[in-house]
mmCIF file of all heavy atoms in Angstrom:
data_model
loop_
_atom_site.group_PDB
_atom_site.id
_atom_site.type_symbol
_atom_site.label_atom_id
_atom_site.label_comp_id
_atom_site.label_asym_id
_atom_site.label_seq_id
_atom_site.Cartn_x
_atom_site.Cartn_y
_atom_site.Cartn_z
ATOM 1 N N ASN A 1 96.684 104.342 107.054
ATOM 2 C CA ASN A 1 95.344 103.731 107.194
ATOM 3 C C ASN A 1 94.346 104.850 107.059
ATOM 4 O O ASN A 1 94.525 105.979 107.712
ATOM 5 C CB ASN A 1 95.102 103.035 108.465
ATOM 6 C CG ASN A 1 95.854 101.645 108.456
ATOM 7 O OD1 ASN A 1 96.142 101.045 107.471
ATOM 8 N ND2 ASN A 1 96.215 101.237 109.662
ATOM 9 N N VAL A 2 93.232 104.618 106.327
ATOM 10 C CA VAL A 2 92.198 105.647 106.179
ATOM 11 C C VAL A 2 91.380 105.634 107.509
ATOM 12 O O VAL A 2 91.025 104.593 108.024
ATOM 13 C CB VAL A 2 91.243 105.230 105.028
ATOM 14 C CG1 VAL A 2 90.091 106.262 104.935
ATOM 15 C CG2 VAL A 2 92.054 105.235 103.754
ATOM 16 N N VAL A 3 91.161 106.864 108.032
ATOM 17 C CA VAL A 3 90.394 107.009 109.286
ATOM 18 C C VAL A 3 88.924 106.772 109.021
ATOM 19 O O VAL A 3 88.320 107.323 108.052
ATOM 20 C CB VAL A 3 90.571 108.423 109.844
ATOM 21 C CG1 VAL A 3 89.782 108.604 111.129
ATOM 22 C CG2 VAL A 3 92.013 108.755 110.084
ATOM 23 N N ASP A 4 88.301 105.858 109.797
ATOM 24 C CA ASP A 4 86.844 105.653 109.703
ATOM 25 C C ASP A 4 86.048 106.701 110.369
ATOM 26 O O ASP A 4 86.205 106.897 111.584
ATOM 27 C CB ASP A 4 86.581 104.259 110.369
ATOM 28 C CG ASP A 4 85.175 103.820 110.109
ATOM 29 O OD1 ASP A 4 84.328 104.613 109.647
ATOM 30 O OD2 ASP A 4 84.751 102.659 110.509
ATOM 31 N N MET A 5 85.326 107.426 109.610
ATOM 32 C CA MET A 5 84.580 108.654 110.092
ATOM 33 C C MET A 5 83.046 108.402 110.054
ATOM 34 O O MET A 5 82.312 109.380 110.121
ATOM 35 C CB MET A 5 85.006 109.887 109.308
ATOM 36 C CG MET A 5 86.435 110.345 109.514
ATOM 37 S SD MET A 5 86.747 111.894 108.695
ATOM 38 C CE MET A 5 88.366 112.337 109.436
ATOM 39 N N LYS A 6 82.642 107.151 109.926
ATOM 40 C CA LYS A 6 81.212 106.865 109.862
ATOM 41 C C LYS A 6 80.473 107.333 111.140
ATOM 42 O O LYS A 6 79.420 107.868 111.072
ATOM 43 C CB LYS A 6 80.975 105.415 109.616
ATOM 44 C CG LYS A 6 81.406 104.949 108.233
ATOM 45 C CD LYS A 6 81.170 103.408 108.103
ATOM 46 C CE LYS A 6 81.658 102.930 106.745
ATOM 47 N NZ LYS A 6 81.413 101.419 106.586
ATOM 48 N N ASN A 7 81.060 107.130 112.305
ATOM 49 C CA ASN A 7 80.481 107.504 113.550
ATOM 50 C C ASN A 7 80.407 109.030 113.694
ATOM 51 O O ASN A 7 79.686 109.539 114.563
ATOM 52 C CB ASN A 7 81.283 106.947 114.731
ATOM 53 C CG ASN A 7 81.103 105.398 114.837
ATOM 54 O OD1 ASN A 7 80.149 104.838 114.286
ATOM 55 N ND2 ASN A 7 82.068 104.782 115.515
ATOM 56 N N LEU A 8 81.184 109.742 112.862
ATOM 57 C CA LEU A 8 81.117 111.194 112.888
ATOM 58 C C LEU A 8 80.217 111.744 111.774
ATOM 59 O O LEU A 8 80.145 112.966 111.577
ATOM 60 C CB LEU A 8 82.569 111.796 112.652
ATOM 61 C CG LEU A 8 83.606 111.376 113.712
ATOM 62 C CD1 LEU A 8 85.012 111.885 113.270
ATOM 63 C CD2 LEU A 8 83.254 111.925 115.092
ATOM 64 N N GLY A 9 79.556 110.771 111.074
ATOM 65 C CA GLY A 9 78.586 111.257 110.059
ATOM 66 C C GLY A 9 79.276 111.654 108.793
ATOM 67 O O GLY A 9 78.649 112.416 107.997
ATOM 68 N N LEU A 10 80.531 111.239 108.600
ATOM 69 C CA LEU A 10 81.283 111.731 107.363
ATOM 70 C C LEU A 10 81.741 110.500 106.564
ATOM 71 O O LEU A 10 81.965 109.438 107.055
ATOM 72 C CB LEU A 10 82.414 112.544 107.833
ATOM 73 C CG LEU A 10 82.161 113.881 108.517
ATOM 74 C CD1 LEU A 10 83.427 114.436 109.027
ATOM 75 C CD2 LEU A 10 81.459 114.818 107.570
ATOM 76 N N THR A 11 81.853 110.705 105.265
ATOM 77 C CA THR A 11 82.460 109.774 104.360
ATOM 78 C C THR A 11 83.890 110.198 104.110
ATOM 79 O O THR A 11 84.135 111.337 103.674
ATOM 80 C CB THR A 11 81.683 109.633 103.070
ATOM 81 O OG1 THR A 11 80.306 109.265 103.330
ATOM 82 C CG2 THR A 11 82.341 108.636 102.149
ATOM 83 N N ASN A 12 84.790 109.326 104.425
ATOM 84 C CA ASN A 12 86.152 109.569 104.279
ATOM 85 C C ASN A 12 86.784 108.833 103.061
ATOM 86 O O ASN A 12 87.110 107.656 103.185
ATOM 87 C CB ASN A 12 87.001 109.257 105.462
ATOM 88 C CG ASN A 12 88.490 109.718 105.406
ATOM 89 O OD1 ASN A 12 88.897 110.495 104.547
ATOM 90 N ND2 ASN A 12 89.277 109.121 106.268
ATOM 91 N N ASP A 13 86.818 109.460 101.931
ATOM 92 C CA ASP A 13 87.309 108.788 100.653
ATOM 93 C C ASP A 13 88.790 109.009 100.553
ATOM 94 O O ASP A 13 89.304 109.765 99.656
ATOM 95 C CB ASP A 13 86.611 109.342 99.489
ATOM 96 C CG ASP A 13 86.940 108.625 98.189
ATOM 97 O OD1 ASP A 13 87.481 107.489 98.286
ATOM 98 O OD2 ASP A 13 86.726 109.221 97.085
ATOM 99 N N LYS A 14 89.563 108.389 101.429
ATOM 100 C CA LYS A 14 91.075 108.445 101.378
ATOM 101 C C LYS A 14 91.535 109.895 101.436
ATOM 102 O O LYS A 14 92.442 110.263 100.754
ATOM 103 C CB LYS A 14 91.616 107.732 100.172
ATOM 104 C CG LYS A 14 92.989 107.109 100.457
ATOM 105 C CD LYS A 14 93.608 106.394 99.260
ATOM 106 C CE LYS A 14 94.018 107.376 98.176
ATOM 107 N NZ LYS A 14 94.796 106.732 97.083
ATOM 108 N N GLU A 15 90.820 110.677 102.217
ATOM 109 C CA GLU A 15 91.227 112.104 102.399
ATOM 110 C C GLU A 15 92.020 112.394 103.699
ATOM 111 O O GLU A 15 92.881 113.303 103.744
ATOM 112 C CB GLU A 15 90.036 112.957 102.290
ATOM 113 C CG GLU A 15 89.309 112.897 100.965
ATOM 114 C CD GLU A 15 87.919 113.411 100.938
ATOM 115 O OE1 GLU A 15 87.216 113.225 101.970
ATOM 116 O OE2 GLU A 15 87.576 114.112 99.996
ATOM 117 N N VAL A 16 91.620 111.640 104.755
ATOM 118 C CA VAL A 16 92.336 111.761 106.040
ATOM 119 C C VAL A 16 92.857 110.403 106.376
ATOM 120 O O VAL A 16 92.075 109.400 106.486
ATOM 121 C CB VAL A 16 91.465 112.282 107.105
ATOM 122 C CG1 VAL A 16 92.191 112.400 108.469
ATOM 123 C CG2 VAL A 16 90.831 113.667 106.707
ATOM 124 N N LEU A 17 94.219 110.306 106.629
ATOM 125 C CA LEU A 17 94.823 108.983 106.828
ATOM 126 C C LEU A 17 95.810 109.167 107.968
ATOM 127 O O LEU A 17 96.270 110.307 108.270
ATOM 128 C CB LEU A 17 95.597 108.425 105.647
ATOM 129 C CG LEU A 17 94.854 108.315 104.368
ATOM 130 C CD1 LEU A 17 95.004 109.540 103.421
ATOM 131 C CD2 LEU A 17 95.278 107.024 103.601
ATOM 132 N N VAL A 18 96.144 108.148 108.666
ATOM 133 C CA VAL A 18 97.080 108.132 109.787
ATOM 134 C C VAL A 18 98.210 107.194 109.487
ATOM 135 O O VAL A 18 97.992 106.018 109.010
ATOM 136 C CB VAL A 18 96.476 107.910 111.194
ATOM 137 C CG1 VAL A 18 95.464 108.921 111.586
ATOM 138 C CG2 VAL A 18 95.730 106.522 111.166
ATOM 139 N N PRO A 19 99.475 107.570 109.761
ATOM 140 C CA PRO A 19 100.586 106.656 109.526
ATOM 141 C C PRO A 19 100.637 105.579 110.577
ATOM 142 O O PRO A 19 100.391 105.811 111.752
ATOM 143 C CB PRO A 19 101.816 107.559 109.547
ATOM 144 C CG PRO A 19 101.405 108.694 110.494
ATOM 145 C CD PRO A 19 99.886 108.911 110.267
ATOM 146 N N VAL A 20 100.999 104.345 110.074
ATOM 147 C CA VAL A 20 101.313 103.241 110.988
ATOM 148 C C VAL A 20 102.817 103.248 111.241
ATOM 149 O O VAL A 20 103.569 102.807 110.403
ATOM 150 C CB VAL A 20 100.789 101.957 110.388
ATOM 151 C CG1 VAL A 20 101.125 100.736 111.380
ATOM 152 C CG2 VAL A 20 99.347 102.006 110.033
ATOM 153 N N GLU A 21 103.224 103.722 112.378
ATOM 154 C CA GLU A 21 104.627 103.864 112.702
ATOM 155 C C GLU A 21 105.362 102.555 112.758
ATOM 156 O O GLU A 21 106.458 102.380 112.262
ATOM 157 C CB GLU A 21 104.822 104.755 113.919
ATOM 158 C CG GLU A 21 104.321 106.186 113.758
ATOM 159 C CD GLU A 21 105.023 107.038 112.723
ATOM 160 O OE1 GLU A 21 106.127 106.624 112.271
ATOM 161 O OE2 GLU A 21 104.503 108.030 112.333
ATOM 162 N N THR A 22 104.831 101.703 113.562
ATOM 163 C CA THR A 22 105.537 100.346 113.766
ATOM 164 C C THR A 22 104.340 99.290 113.923
ATOM 165 O O THR A 22 103.293 99.631 114.443
ATOM 166 C CB THR A 22 106.361 100.381 115.073
ATOM 167 O OG1 THR A 22 105.527 100.683 116.182
ATOM 168 C CG2 THR A 22 107.539 101.264 114.911
ATOM 169 N N PRO A 23 104.631 98.034 113.463
ATOM 170 C CA PRO A 23 105.852 97.695 112.736
ATOM 171 C C PRO A 23 105.719 98.107 111.306
ATOM 172 O O PRO A 23 104.569 98.415 110.815
ATOM 173 C CB PRO A 23 105.793 96.162 112.813
ATOM 174 C CG PRO A 23 104.310 95.834 112.905
ATOM 175 C CD PRO A 23 103.728 96.918 113.740
ATOM 176 N N TYR A 24 106.825 98.360 110.664
ATOM 177 C CA TYR A 24 106.827 98.747 109.276
ATOM 178 C C TYR A 24 107.421 97.644 108.340
ATOM 179 O O TYR A 24 108.170 96.840 108.797
ATOM 180 C CB TYR A 24 107.583 100.087 109.017
ATOM 181 C CG TYR A 24 109.036 100.092 109.515
ATOM 182 C CD1 TYR A 24 109.979 99.562 108.711
ATOM 183 C CD2 TYR A 24 109.327 100.598 110.771
ATOM 184 C CE1 TYR A 24 111.337 99.584 109.095
ATOM 185 C CE2 TYR A 24 110.636 100.619 111.196
ATOM 186 C CZ TYR A 24 111.622 100.099 110.354
ATOM 187 O OH TYR A 24 112.951 100.066 110.836
ATOM 188 N N GLY A 25 107.014 97.566 107.135
ATOM 189 C CA GLY A 25 107.547 96.654 106.164
ATOM 190 C C GLY A 25 108.886 97.050 105.647
ATOM 191 O O GLY A 25 109.293 98.165 105.680
ATOM 192 N N SER A 26 109.612 96.096 105.148
ATOM 193 C CA SER A 26 110.972 96.349 104.621
ATOM 194 C C SER A 26 111.312 95.365 103.582
ATOM 195 O O SER A 26 110.938 94.150 103.681
ATOM 196 C CB SER A 26 112.016 96.277 105.774
ATOM 197 O OG SER A 26 113.335 96.535 105.201
#
């Protein structure tokens, strides 16, 4: 998931993301 950085005054164009560990698709 792309991290929402609007509250930090930044635009995050799919540059910083965090993994969703669970649940995962299969």
Side-chain angles (χ1 to χ4, degrees):
N1 288 334
V2 178
V3 178
D4 187 350
M5 293 186 169
K6 291 179 182 178
N7 292 337
L8 300 175
L10 296 172
T11 300
N12 184 17
D13 185 19
K14 209 180 75 171
E15 296 163 319
V16 179
L17 306 95
V18 292
V20 180
E21 298 294 345
T22 57
Y24 56 82
S26 179

